[in-house]
Amino acid sequence: MSLKLIRNFSIIAHVDHGKSTLADRLLEFTGAVTDREKKDQLLDTLEIEREKGITIKMQAVRMYYKAKNGNTYKLHLIDTPGHVDFSYEVSRALAACEGALLLVDASQGIEAQTVANFWKAVEQDLVIIPVINKIDLPSAEPDRVIKQIEEILGLPPEEVILASAKEGIGIEDILEAIIHRIPPPAGDPQKPLKALIFDSYYDSYRGAVAFVRLFEGKVKAGDKIKLFSTGKEYEVTEVGAQTPKMTKFDSLSAGDVGYISASIKNVRDIRIGDTITSAVFPASEPVPGFRPVKPMVFAGIYPAEDTTYEELREALEKYSINDSAIVYEPESSPALGMGFRVGFLGLLHMEIVRERLEREYGVKIINTAPNVIYRVKRKHKEEVFEVRNPSEFPDNPGLIEKVQEPYILVTVITPAEYVGNIMQLCQEKRGEQKKFYYLDEKTVLLEYEMPLSEVVIDFHDKIKTLSKGYASYDYEFSEYKDSDLVKLHILINKKPVDALSFIVHRQKAYRRARLIVEKLKETIPRQLFEVHIQAAIGGKVIASERIKPLRANVTAKCYGGDITRKKKLLEKQKEGKKRMKKFGNVQLPQEAFLSVLSVE
Amino acid sequence: MNKCVKALYIHIPFCRYKCPYCDFTSFIGGEEILEEYISLVLKEANLYKDTPKKISTLYLGGGTPSLLEPFQIEKLLDNLNALGYFSSLEEITVECNPEDYSYKEYKQLLDIGVNRISIGIQSFLQKGLNVLGRRHNSLMAIRSVQKAKEAGFKNINVDLIYAYPNQTPEDIKMELEYISLLKPSHVSAYMLTPYKYTPLWKKIKERKLTMLSEEEVYTIYKTLYRGLKRLGYNRYEISNWAFKGYECKHNLTYWKMENFIGLGVSACGFIDNKRYRNFRSLEKYTQYLEKGKKPVEEIVALSPAELRKERIILRLRLKEGLPLREKYIIPSFLEAFFEEGNKGIGIKEEYMILSNEIIAEVLLFADSVTDR
């Protein structure tokens, strides 16, 4: 098929603006999925899942569209991850396209993620087709949204398509706009292979599979290929595309989007943003823009309850086959025993990992407070070292010459009525205002530069609460900046509990210390001994609380020799103690460790 | 290596009214079927005819055993005797409510061989009786002890409940005053526990009543145990005090894990390392006995590990505690809570009110030293 009849595009949208519904409609309209197939396909997937224990998600779907001009076009719809933690992945998916549908909810209007993704698409020189979705809803305000699109994004009103993916309105207009407005891909099939990896997954049948966009050249089964970043070579076992089933094709050539499998054992070898080329006639340059995965947030993950270290290790190993974005290494904590320090793309990523480990791999875990990577320079030492774990941070503030922490640029879009709340929040989070302007009379865009560590804790929840769920935000890394940071120790009966210590800005240390000792006082049950909780910087205690020893806990009577009941009660009490982490004479419940996470 | 059965417990599951804190099995009314119930109990007793026994203690508990007339108790005893139950009986206890028996009945009970009476006083103060929802009054409480004494009972237990809502240390001092005047040979004092789903528990949940704080409970507890000690009572178990030689032999069989038979609705028994519990439903209990089957709802054979655990739990309820040679199962960080006597190592009196917490720690530690 001539390159002229190919179109590659993505849908960019804020969460819940109807991206997957629109994708479904496009598939149905082009006949890629019939109603019958929808059922069959579902069954197929379930069967494969059952047999091989894998889930196939749609990464890049190929469909054929017979346009009004009589030509049949090959369309590739490339999926983009929906969260700010995955912004690099989004940029690579966009790099595989020539155009993008910018989907905006007719009632919600433009949100932070819409703007962020719009700029990412513009950076890639994509043609953007604005689509206003959900126009059938009574609350729809298409005129307001058209105005927003014009004023904020600078797109002409006449280019906007009104649609309702749910009701099937505007679907054909969208498809016609795709073939007319988005240019066909360029590229020469005769040149050496140059394929951009924008996604990957693991399939126990094919091994690690790469989703690619071919910019130059051709690839087929049997070809020898090479990965640019590692230089590793493989032999291609299969090429194909999702239609939306995984369908084998003879070859892929320049302009195409599809998958390549080559008996690659580990998804870690398929790095998103990397370029696949021929091992025999390699391209001279890779597709620009590759960077290795860089975790932004680290937390300790430890086995809890009945889970053992070995079980946790196994679960992490299995999980990481399918998620190349996490990194982990063993660590041990005097308080929590053996566990792992795990790096995540962001807080949401951390939550996903945590939840999937517990749900899909059946382990119970405790995680310590997440932290970012700090750069520390000690006095009289040349090198700057990176701190991923509060325990590596110098205890004595006197030894530190300078500390840096990562800053981000946060964009917030909020209804005007909540702007005061949000500015206050951003200030509390040590943010510095960079932009403030009205998108329209009801909506404000704010931009702040602030430390990533402040966003890591509870920014998401706070912003949602303060705006009744209406404000949205997005962020990107800006730079490392000097910061007056100290390590706050939490001591229980005078001994520091490493898993409770964290790094905090000096100005906030007193407040945090107070809140944390109070929270710990609430969560630690009274015990046989007095519990003395202290928060300290270096050797200086800045907050403390005492939990008085338990006074009464007795079962008075074993009536008529009914021992069983009494035994069950004590058994339960014993099991409760077992689940706690023993620290000297003090038993710390899991909630104590979690409470540190929830304190701002 | 079967041990003999040493004790017999009989449950009388009927009450005139239900106390708001009580979660034992009992039914309101039932006076009209008492005779019938007694014959069922005897039927059940017959099913244990061949179990080897050398019963030294009998305990009639409830519910309210004092709903029985002394002559009914006599009949029950005679019949059990005919079944070969009582070759070496030393102690017969009947639980009673203060309002049920007077001088005459106490006298009759003594005549038929009952030698220990346990009176459900709960509180000598009207204030306490009101909070606890008891229908006898302060005067009846005092009288009942006096009458039992006058009739000739040497061994009288007084049941008390402490740490009820609004109780003050002054109140417990008053209770101690009454005890010093009446001088019962035995005192059982139980900390009030609001068991789930009882009316008391509901009231607390609905915030109509507030339980005392731990500090207040502790002050009352301290006043109580120190007071009883001053009055010459010897504490031998978490909730039990007695003058020398008046310890309740029956209850000691539970704590020392002797075999015992329990008869009646919801009664528990322990024979050859098996614990059983009868049906809590009167209907099921009756049905089974009518078919000639033991009315057992649950029977558990205890593994050596379970036996060990029970032994720890029960022994540590006793003042004398565990034999000294078993000291190693007590973790060193708990040493301050224990004291050694000539018989063993037990929880110090002042800490007995923390026994759940302490015993749970010992159990946890004992698990780790199992494989020695």
Side-chain angles (χ1 to χ4, degrees), chain A residues 418-524:
Chain A
Y418 306 117
V419 81
N421 290 347
I422 293 191
M423 283 169 62
Q424 197 185 344
L425 172 69
C426 291
Q427 252 151 38
E428 281 166 14
K429 298 281 187 187
R430 297 190 276 142
E432 189 188 321
Q433 199 179 82
K434 295 284 178 189
K435 277 182 196 161
F436 178 111
Y437 59 80
Y438 277 86
L439 298 182
D440 56 31
E441 60 275 22
K442 288 187 192 169
T443 321
V444 173
L445 180 145
L446 295 164
E447 195 179 280
Y448 276 84
E449 188 175 39
M450 64 172 76
L452 173 61
S453 61
E454 295 286 347
V455 175
V456 155
I457 304 165
D458 60 353
F459 192 70
H460 181 82
D461 295 345
K462 278 261 167 78
I463 214 164
K464 290 294 170 195
T465 313
L466 290 174
S467 68
K468 301 206 165 74
Y470 286 111
S472 61
Y473 74 98
D474 201 289
Y475 65 78
E476 58 182 338
F477 174 73
S478 83
E479 60 179 328
Y480 268 86
K481 287 187 162 190
D482 291 357
S483 201
D484 189 9
L485 297 167
V486 291
K487 179 168 168 182
L488 194 66
H489 291 282
I490 300 295
L491 301 99
I492 302 284
N493 288 356
K494 311 253 176 203
K495 290 191 197 107
V497 180
D498 59 321
L500 291 175
S501 69
F502 54 91
I503 295 160
V504 62
H505 194 265
R506 193 184 298 273
Q507 277 169 16
K508 296 189 132 196
Y510 283 82
R511 204 177 111 81
R512 282 286 290 277
R514 174 102 311 267
L515 288 171
I516 282 189
V517 295
E518 276 167 16
K519 191 88 180 189
L520 287 171
K521 190 180 175 178
E522 276 168 40
T523 45
I524 300 173

Side-chain angles (χ1 to χ4, degrees), chain A residues 526 528-529 551 553-557 559-561 563 565-567 571 573-574 577 582 585 587, chain B residues 9 23-24 62 95 195 214-215 218 239 254 306 309-310 317 333 353-357 361 367:
Chain A
R526 290 176 74 168
L528 289 171
F529 302 91
R551 284 307 199 181
N553 183 359
V554 64
T555 305
K557 205 165 181 178
Y559 199 79
I563 312 298
R565 204 170 120 167
K566 158 102 186 152
K567 188 168 68 179
E571 194 67 17
Q573 204 168 336
K574 185 188 92 177
K577 289 180 180 295
K582 194 140 177 102
N585 285 342
Q587 278 144 346
Chain B
Y9 173 79
D23 81 330
F24 301 132
E95 275 185 352
Y195 287 107
E214 276 187 32
E215 272 65 29
Y218 185 70
S239 312
Y254 298 154
E306 287 298 307
K309 200 184 297 173
E310 287 198 355
R317 288 189 70 88
F333 76 93
I353 196 166
L354 288 169
S355 65
N356 279 3
E357 192 70 20
E361 287 287 356
D367 278 354

Side-chain angles (χ1 to χ4, degrees), chain B residues 105-141:
Chain B
E105 286 85 4
Y106 288 127
K107 197 95 188 143
Q108 286 169 339
L109 287 174
L110 274 170
D111 286 346
I112 62 172
V114 175
N115 56 8
R116 187 171 181 271
I117 203 89
S118 173
I119 310 175
I121 300 289
Q122 319 311 355
S123 171
F124 287 107
L125 311 186
Q126 199 52 48
K127 173 184 171 185
L129 293 171
N130 292 346
V131 178
L132 295 168
R134 298 294 301 218
R135 296 197 188 162
H136 64 269
N137 59 34
S138 173
L139 194 64
M140 286 153 96

Side-chain angles (χ1 to χ4, degrees), chain B residues 179 183-187 228-229 231-235 241-243:
Chain B
I179 288 170
K183 295 192 178 57
S185 59
H186 193 284
V187 175
L228 286 171
K229 185 174 241 165
L231 295 177
Y233 291 92
N234 175 35
R235 188 181 201 171
W241 288 258
F243 291 144

Side-chain angles (χ1 to χ4, degrees), chain A residues 23-24 26-28 30-34 37-42 44-45 48 55-64 75-77 201 206 211 240-249 259:
Chain A
D24 287 351
L26 295 174
L27 291 178
E28 276 167 38
T30 57
V33 185
T34 62
E37 272 178 341
K38 247 201 290 189
K39 276 184 206 153
D40 290 350
Q41 187 198 324
L42 188 67
D44 267 7
T45 312
I48 296 169
T55 324
I56 291 178
K57 62 172 189 182
M58 282 191 269
Q59 276 96 343
V61 186
R62 176 178 292 188
M63 55 194 134
Y64 292 92
L75 309 182
H76 294 118
L77 167 55
Y201 85 102
R206 295 184 181 89
F211 282 88
Q242 287 186 314
T243 65
K245 276 182 282 196
M246 295 289 282
T247 309
K248 204 162 149 177
F249 286 99
Y259 69 84

